[in-house]
Amino acid sequence: MALLELKNVSAGYGKNIILKDFCIDIEEGKLVSLLGSSGCGKTTTLRTMAGFIDVVKGQFLFDGQDYTRTPIHKRGFGYVFQSYALFPHLSVFDNVAFGLKRRHVNRTEIKERVTEMLTRVGLSGFEDRLPADMSGGQRQRVALARALVLKPRVLLMDEPLSNLDARLRVEMRVEIRRLQQEMGITAVYVTHDQEECFSISDQVAIMNNGRIEQMDTPMHIFNYPVNEFTARFVGFENFVPVTLENGRYVSASGTVFETDKTAPRLKAACRPDDLQLLPGHEGGIMRLRGEIVVATFLGKQMQYLVHTREGDFLVNTAAEALYAPHDPVTVCFPREKTIFTLDETPVTAP
Amino acid sequence: MKKSRLLLVLTVLTYIFLVGPMLIMVGTSFSSTAAVSFPPTGFSLQWYEKAFTLPSFQRGFVTSLTVSLIGTVLAMLLGIPAAYAINKYRFRGKALVNGFFLSPTLVPALVLGFALLRSFIPRIGGSVYLGLVVGYTLIALPYIIRTTGSAMSNFDFSIEEAARSLGTPAVPAFFLTVIPNIRSGLISAFILAFINSFNDVSIGVFISSPGTMTLPTAMQSLIIGRMDPTIAAASVLLMLMTILLMTLSEKLLGIKLRR
C-alpha cells in the first residue's frame, strides 16, 4: 500500500493553480524522484505534501490517514531546502537539535542523538560552528542531519544538490541514497538533473505541465518511454509518425515500420547513437532515404544531420569521417532499438 | 590646487553653518548671566540646574518619554506584522498597501496634529495623553515598517518553513527564526522611531493641555514667555540624549554586522 498518496489534488499559488486533478502514489521505503523542467509542478507537488501549499481540491493521504488539512508542524516530515535554510543565528549543534527541543526531548538524549547524527553525516567536531563558516557541502549535510535526527518516516527534498559543484553533487547523492536506505525512509526527491535522478531513485516520475507523463523505474523509463515527451527527455531525438494502414504501419513517404502495437497513430523513435547509416539509397522496411546536411566531429563520434522526406534526423556513428555533405545515404531504424510511442497522447500516472 | 582650496572653504563654511547654532547653544547654556548672548559671559551650571528642576520641564520629560515609548511600542506591534506580510506574501494591491502604510510621512505632522485635535480628541473624551500616544504611533509606523521591512527583505523565508517542518507551530516559528535574524533592524527601527517621536514639536503643539504637554512643547511655551539660557541647557541635554541613542544603535548594529 502506498505511504503517500495524492488523490485528484488541485493546488497552486493563489489563483495560479499548478496541479489539477493530480494523482501520485509513493510506496513505503522507496526513493521517488519528481523530474522535470522548471514550472512543471514538481516543487509544487513536494510543497503540497509538506503542507506549505494548501490543497484546493482533492485529498492527501499519509499511511491511509487524511492529512489534507494537517498543519505543517504536525505532519512530522523531514524537509530539505534548495537553499539549505539553516538557522543562521544557531550553531551546527543547535540547528540539528532544533526539532528535538521543540519535542521536549530531555537534554542528555538530545546530546546523544545530535552527536550520533552528526557523526553519521561526517560532521563530528563541527558542533560549535555557525552555518556561515561552512562550505556548501557541509551546510547540506547539516540540513540533512537536522531533518533526519527526528527519524521522520518521510523525507522531502527540493533540489538539495543544485547549489553544489559537480564533484560534490555526485558525492552527496551517494550519501543521500545511503542514509535513506540505512534509515529506511520514504523519500521524495525533486530535481531537474536527469543523471542525478536516475542514479539515486527507485522510481522516477517525469512531470510536465502539472501532470505526470510517466512514472516507473529509471531503467524502464530509459528503455521504454511511453510518449514523445518522455522519449525526448531520455534522449530519443528522431521521430517518425506512422499510421496503421491495412494492418501495417506506414510513414508519410510510404516506408513500412514493424511493431506489435495496435494504436491507430504511433511515432517510431530512435536515439542518435542507435540509428545506422548505409551509403547510397536503399529501400526496405524501416529504412528512409536521405542526404547528409551537416557532418560534425564530436571527438569519439561523428554526428550527421540527415535530411529525409520525413524530416531531419541526427545520427551518431564511429569517428571515421565516411560521409560528406550532399552524400546520398539510407537511415536505418534497427528493430530492437526502435520504440513506438503514442502519437501526442499524454499518459497519466498508472 | 585652487579648486581644492575652494572646496576646503566651502566645507568649512558648511560645517560652521551646521554646527554653529549648536555651539552657540552649548556656549549659552553655561552662561552666568540671564541674557541669551554669545560669546557667553562667565561660567555656571545654574541653567542646567533650572532645566532639571523646572516643573513644566520635569512633567514634559515624563510625558514625552511615556507617550513616545508607548507610541513606538504600539507602532512596532502594528508595523512588524505589516512588514512581515508585505515581504512574505504576494497579493493584489500590495503596492497600494505599502504606500498606504508609508503615507504618514507624506502628510506634514502639523496637519496630522491638527486633524487629531479637531476630529479625534473630542471623540475620545478629550484625553490629551491618548491623543499624543495615537499621534506618535502614527508618526513612528512608517519608520518601523520601512526599517524592519528592509531587514526582512534579506531574510530567507524558507528558514521559517524549516522551523515549521521541524515541528514548530506558526507563531513560535516566527519568534524563533524571523525575530532573531532581524534583531538589528528591530533595534534601529525602535531607536529611530523613538527619537523622532521624542523630538517632535508639530503634534505636541496641537495636542497639549496645561497639565499634559511634551517636553518640546513645554520648551516652546517657555521661549514665548521669556528667553533665558534654560532653553539652551535643555536643548543640549536633548541633543546629548539623541547622540547617545544613535551611538548605541550604531554599536549594537556594528556588533551584529561583524558576526
Side-chain angles (χ1 to χ4, degrees), chain A residues 47 73 83 88-89 102-103, chain B residues 156 158 161 164 166 176 181:
Chain A
R47 291 177 65 81
H73 63 278
S83 64
H89 58 296
R102 302 309 301 164
R103 282 166 174 69
Chain B
D156 175 7
S158 46
E161 288 181 341
R164 301 276 282 119
L166 293 167
L176 285 167
N181 285 295

Side-chain angles (χ1 to χ4, degrees), chain B residues 3 103 127 157 184 216 226:
Chain B
K3 211 173 180 180
S103 64
S127 166
F157 282 99
S184 57
R226 73 184 156 163

Side-chain angles (χ1 to χ4, degrees), chain A residues 131-274:
Chain A
D133 302 328
M134 303 184 90
S135 70
Q138 290 170 332
R139 285 184 211 182
Q140 193 52 278
R141 286 167 198 270
V142 177
L144 271 170
R146 181 177 69 177
L148 292 177
V149 76
L150 299 175
K151 301 197 170 83
R153 286 180 72 189
V154 174
L155 182 63
L156 308 171
M157 289 173 276
D158 183 12
E159 307 219 18
L161 306 182
S162 65
N163 287 334
L164 301 177
D165 64 50
R167 197 183 53 80
L168 258 177
R169 268 210 295 276
V170 174
E171 195 185 309
M172 280 305 293
R173 78 186 186 212
V174 174
E175 186 88 6
I176 288 175
R177 182 61 162 163
R178 179 180 67 82
L179 288 166
Q180 180 258 334
Q181 291 189 323
E182 268 180 23
M183 301 179 72
I185 292 171
T186 308
V188 187
Y189 189 101
V190 161
T191 180
H192 62 265
D193 184 323
Q194 197 194 111
E195 187 199 318
E196 182 178 305
C197 150
F198 278 29
S199 68
I200 182 174
S201 315
D202 294 304
Q203 277 196 307
V204 175
I206 309 253
M207 289 188 64
N208 178 34
N209 253 326
R211 274 194 323 259
I212 292 177
E213 298 281 356
Q214 184 171 2
M215 183 162 160
D216 215 325
T217 62
M219 205 178 279
H220 239 86
I221 288 190
F222 195 77
N223 292 325
Y224 310 105
V226 292
N227 58 28
E228 187 178 342
F229 182 86
T230 322
R232 284 192 188 278
F233 216 89
V234 295
F236 287 86
E237 292 186 54
N238 304 299
F239 291 85
V240 182
V242 290
T243 44
L244 195 55
E245 283 170 23
N246 305 325
R248 298 194 308 179
Y249 283 99
V250 184
S251 75
S253 64
T255 301
V256 173
F257 281 78
E258 289 183 334
T259 173
D260 308 334
K261 303 236 166 134
T262 51
R265 286 161 63 235
L266 291 174
K267 273 191 176 180
C270 198
R271 291 193 168 95
D273 279 2
D274 297 329

Side-chain angles (χ1 to χ4, degrees), chain A residues 7-11 19-23 57:
Chain A
K7 276 169 124 181
N8 304 98
V9 162
S10 295
L19 303 177
K20 283 183 193 118
D21 264 336
F22 186 85
C23 298
K57 224 184 71 200

Side-chain angles (χ1 to χ4, degrees), chain B residues 244-259:
Chain B
L244 192 78
L245 281 175
M246 281 296 192
T247 322
L248 202 69
S249 79
E250 300 263 305
K251 275 272 155 58
L252 286 169
L253 298 186
I255 289 163
K256 185 70 190 171
L257 282 179
R258 236 176 285 136
R259 259 184 82 169

